[in-house]
Amino acid sequence: MSSKLQLTTLAVLVSAALPAQAALYKVVEVAPGVSGNEVYGTAIQPGATTDPKGCFVDDCADGASYKLAGETRNRPDGFSYREEVPFAMDNSFGYIEDDYDGFEDYCFYQLGYATCEYWASDRWSSWYNETYSSNTPNSLAFIEGSAEKPSGAINTVINSLDPSGKPVGNFSTSSKRNEAFSAVTNSTLTSKAQSRAWASDGTYTVGSTSSKSGIGGERYYYSSAPAIWSASGFVSIPRAGGYEVDGDYYAQGSMRDFYIDSAGGKTYGVGYNNYSDQHMNATIFIGNSATPTSASWSSALIYNAQVDISGDNINSNSVATNINKNLVVVGQAKRSGGFPQNGAASNRLFIVPDASASSINASFFYGGIFFDGAGGEMGGINNFNEIVGRIDSENHREYDGKQRRQRAFIYPYGMTPKTDSSEETAITARRAIFKNKAWLLDDLTNGGSESSNNNQYRIYDASDINDAGVISATAVKCSGGYDSTSHNAYCGDGNGTEKVVAVKLVPIAGADASAIQPRSYDSTATERQGAGLGFGTLTILGLFGFMRKRIK
């Protein structure tokens, strides 16, 4: 037998031994149906399949059964259209009142980048436009190609979708910086000066309300409070400590997600509340009834993630972002600019395994892709304890340097104290698909029959995941495919144009751990040259800094 025949035979045998469809996910780009230079995926419709393994067994094709919500941007937000206060931390409104100088001060003292002039200029231009100029819309929201624009809206954001696929979010008008919108309306809510909606089950919605509009002469100096409402009831959660106004600081609070424990007769909410010294700390809200608007509410501070640790403001603020039916809580804590860790004042991700525990303590992600001091952004968690978000994929020093590049991840956390024993088998089986560890999602979109399509995308952010396993995400796209399948491959030999697009990641039916083909790294570092990136891979990083006061 010739050597050529031997090699051919070997190749056939190897090919036959590999799974028919390598990669775990198919990348499906979603058309926004609205205009915008860059398109971001922000939420996925809740839902499951008949099989506990979700779309890894039931063929979900392109994920059409689960709607994706998203937004466009032509420029970065002046400060986030979602957050209660500037940079999610400025509850004295000192930075934002100082105009351009305030933006630069925030970057210099709380992020530490060597590029703060550029960082500040980019955002100040947007803030000036939104505050003093034309009110030209920047954030246009959509659901699966159809625009979502409430009457009178200028900028609109969607924070989540309810089980029916209805949007939950907020929008600005000429008289209010933020007004909540969801399928659940309430007359008390609409009478508030500002409001925001974060999550809804179709009967109840949670968010926050504010005392002033944030527009015109009331642009600064308003306070906010966590809230939950139904069509017939409204509850504002008491602040946990301090005063509504304390010197230059204004109390803030927000409820970001909730779960009704009907069997236990309680409702659990998560977000942040205001504590002594006007600290904004990650909090679990506990209602003593399964009817949230009839409950009495208390606040449990999440320790290890709070601002003041042993007398120092180690963190500048923290927030719990999501909770699932297993009472697992996830969130993030921004490291203070005065106490950087591993060369960065990063936004660290944490988990609380049991919201009902007598002692609530955060554990920060560590190990594998989560290196010491890694920063990121929490996306969401489903009822199989699968967590998504984005995380630093580089570990160089950010202080006096440049921002680290980030990439989307999935973390199959596994069993927790409140996991129902009947679901342990399903969670174990789903975790095994990922070899029981966290991954950058780019490593799970590589190889097999989807390789050519998937190689057009590098997944920047994962914002949400449902029980079927479908993920809403944002990707950087090189049309036709990157020059190789490596993580840091060029687009068109460094001269191609990349753009930011909204995508779904849909599990491939029949795929399992054997399909994982991690991407390699090219030996020569690449710098992206595409015109489409602009602020896309950089600006989101700094918008969620949390800080009570400036540290100089």
Side-chain angles (χ1 to χ4, degrees):
M1 183 181 294
S2 70
S3 60
K4 181 178 180 180
L5 181 56
Q6 288 175 339
L7 290 173
T8 302
T9 303
L10 178 60
V12 171
L13 291 173
V14 170
S15 176
L18 292 175
Q21 293 198 65
L24 292 186
Y25 293 96
K26 178 180 182 179
V27 182
V28 180
E29 187 174 344
V30 177
V34 292
S35 62
N37 293 338
E38 301 186 347
V39 185
Y40 296 82
T42 62
I44 199 73
Q45 183 178 352
T49 64
T50 56
D51 193 281
K53 284 189 177 181
C55 298
F56 286 108
V57 170
D58 290 342
D59 189 353
C60 296
D62 287 346
S65 297
Y66 310 103
K67 298 177 181 178
L68 178 141
E71 301 153 16
T72 64
R73 293 290 191 278
N74 292 314
R75 58 184 186 273
D77 305 3
F79 70 84
S80 173
Y81 302 127
R82 292 180 160 77
E83 297 293 339
E84 279 74 19
V85 292
F87 313 123
M89 50 71 62
D90 184 16
N91 59 339
S92 72
F93 298 90
Y95 286 122
I96 202 70
E97 189 178 26
D98 288 346
D99 292 334
Y100 172 83
D101 290 341
F103 281 84
E104 189 173 20
D105 281 349
Y106 170 78
C107 180
F108 184 79
Y109 293 115
Q110 297 306 322
L111 303 176
Y113 304 145
T115 56
C116 281
E117 289 186 4
Y118 169 80
W119 189 97
S121 177
D122 220 16
R123 286 154 185 77
W124 159 246
S125 295
S126 284
W127 172 243
Y128 183 89
N129 180 76
E130 295 160 14
T131 308
Y132 306 113
S133 188
S134 64
N135 268 336
T136 302
N138 183 36
S139 181
L140 303 180
F142 66 90
I143 300 177
E144 291 286 317
S146 297
E148 290 291 331
K149 185 179 180 181
S151 177
I154 299 172
N155 291 308
T156 306
V157 296
I158 297 176
N159 294 317
S160 63
L161 294 174
D162 71 15
S164 298
K166 301 296 184 181
V168 182
N170 53 272
F171 61 96
S172 64
T173 68
S174 59
S175 60
K176 289 186 179 183
R177 176 164 177 84
N178 284 286
E179 184 163 349
F181 75 104
S182 73
V184 181
T185 59
N186 180 281
S187 59
T188 301
L189 176 77
T190 55
S191 70
K192 298 293 184 178
Q194 284 194 79
S195 57
R196 295 164 177 81
W198 284 87
S200 180
D201 65 0
T203 300
Y204 299 97
T205 299
V206 297
S208 68
T209 60
S210 300
S211 59
K212 292 183 179 181
S213 69
I215 295 292
E218 298 181 327
R219 182 175 296 113
Y220 310 119
Y221 317 130
Y222 53 82
S223 62
S224 61
I228 184 167
W229 61 89
S230 65
S232 58
F234 177 90
V235 174
S236 181
I237 310 299
R239 63 183 56 88
Y243 306 92
E244 181 176 4
V245 182
D246 184 5
D248 294 334
Y249 300 99
Y250 292 75
Q252 307 295 333
S254 179
M255 191 181 297
R256 301 295 176 86
D257 198 7
F258 71 107
Y259 176 72
I260 298 175
D261 181 9
S262 299
K266 291 185 177 182
T267 303
Y268 294 89
V270 298
Y272 71 88
N273 206 342
N274 185 80
Y275 291 80
S276 60
D277 292 330
Q278 300 297 68
H279 290 161
M280 299 157 59
N281 287 326
T283 296
I284 295 173
F285 305 102
I286 304 170
N288 64 354
S289 170
T291 304
T293 51
S294 299
S296 295
W297 288 84
S298 60
S299 296
L301 184 147
I302 298 177
Y303 289 94
N304 297 338
Q306 76 270 28
V307 170
D308 189 327
I309 299 177
S310 301
D312 290 319
N313 287 359
I314 300 298
N315 296 307
S316 55
N317 201 346
S318 58
V319 59
T321 57
N322 304 92
I323 185 171
N324 68 7
K325 72 176 185 180
N326 302 316
L327 302 188
V328 181
V329 177
V330 293
Q332 55 203 27
K334 169 66 172 65
R335 193 83 176 185
S336 169
F339 295 89
Q341 181 182 10
N342 194 21
S346 55
N347 199 42
R348 298 179 298 159
L349 309 184
F350 68 76
I351 188 167
V352 176
D354 181 6
S356 67
S358 56
S359 180
I360 305 296
N361 295 282
S363 296
F364 290 96
F365 290 7
Y366 183 73
I369 64 172
F370 306 114
F371 59 85
D372 184 33
E377 186 72 20
M378 188 60 71
I381 183 172
N382 64 15
N383 289 314
F384 292 95
N385 298 339
E386 294 163 346
I387 304 165
V388 296
R390 69 175 186 266
I391 198 71
D392 288 342
S393 59
E394 301 173 324
N395 63 358
H396 60 256
R397 184 179 179 85
E398 285 192 321
Y399 247 68
D400 298 322
K402 65 178 182 178
Q403 292 171 270
R404 295 166 176 165
R405 182 172 294 165
Q406 295 189 330
R407 286 292 182 263
F409 73 86
I410 184 167
Y411 182 12
Y413 189 76
M415 302 303 169
T416 53
K418 292 295 182 180
T419 300
D420 191 304
S421 58
S422 65
E423 296 178 342
E424 289 184 0
T425 299
I427 289 178
T428 299
R430 285 178 70 132
R431 193 165 187 256
I433 295 171
F434 303 98
K435 298 184 179 180
N436 304 314
K437 65 179 184 179
W439 291 89
L440 296 180
L441 281 164
D442 280 338
D443 284 324
L444 307 183
T445 62
N446 185 36
S449 61
E450 292 296 334
S451 184
S452 179
N453 172 69
N454 287 358
N455 193 45
Q456 297 183 100
Y457 306 92
R458 295 295 182 268
I459 314 303
Y460 167 65
D461 184 35
S463 57
D464 197 8
I465 182 171
N466 64 18
D467 289 345
V470 181
I471 298 169
S472 60
T474 301
V476 182
K477 181 182 181 182
C478 175
S479 294
Y482 286 92
D483 294 353
S484 74
T485 61
S486 67
H487 279 284
N488 55 342
Y490 282 107
C491 176
D493 199 29
N495 297 310
T497 298
E498 297 169 291
K499 62 180 181 178
V500 178
V501 298
V503 298
K504 292 180 187 178
L505 301 183
V506 184
I508 297 171
D512 59 20
S514 66
I516 298 175
Q517 297 183 31
R519 296 183 187 274
S520 61
Y521 285 88
D522 290 340
S523 58
T524 302
T526 65
E527 293 294 333
R528 306 221 181 263
Q529 303 298 319
L533 286 183
F535 62 85
T537 57
L538 297 176
T539 58
I540 308 178
L541 303 179
L543 297 183
F544 295 90
F546 292 31
M547 183 67 193
R548 185 180 70 89
K549 60 183 179 181
R550 305 183 199 193
I551 296 176
K552 295 188 177 181

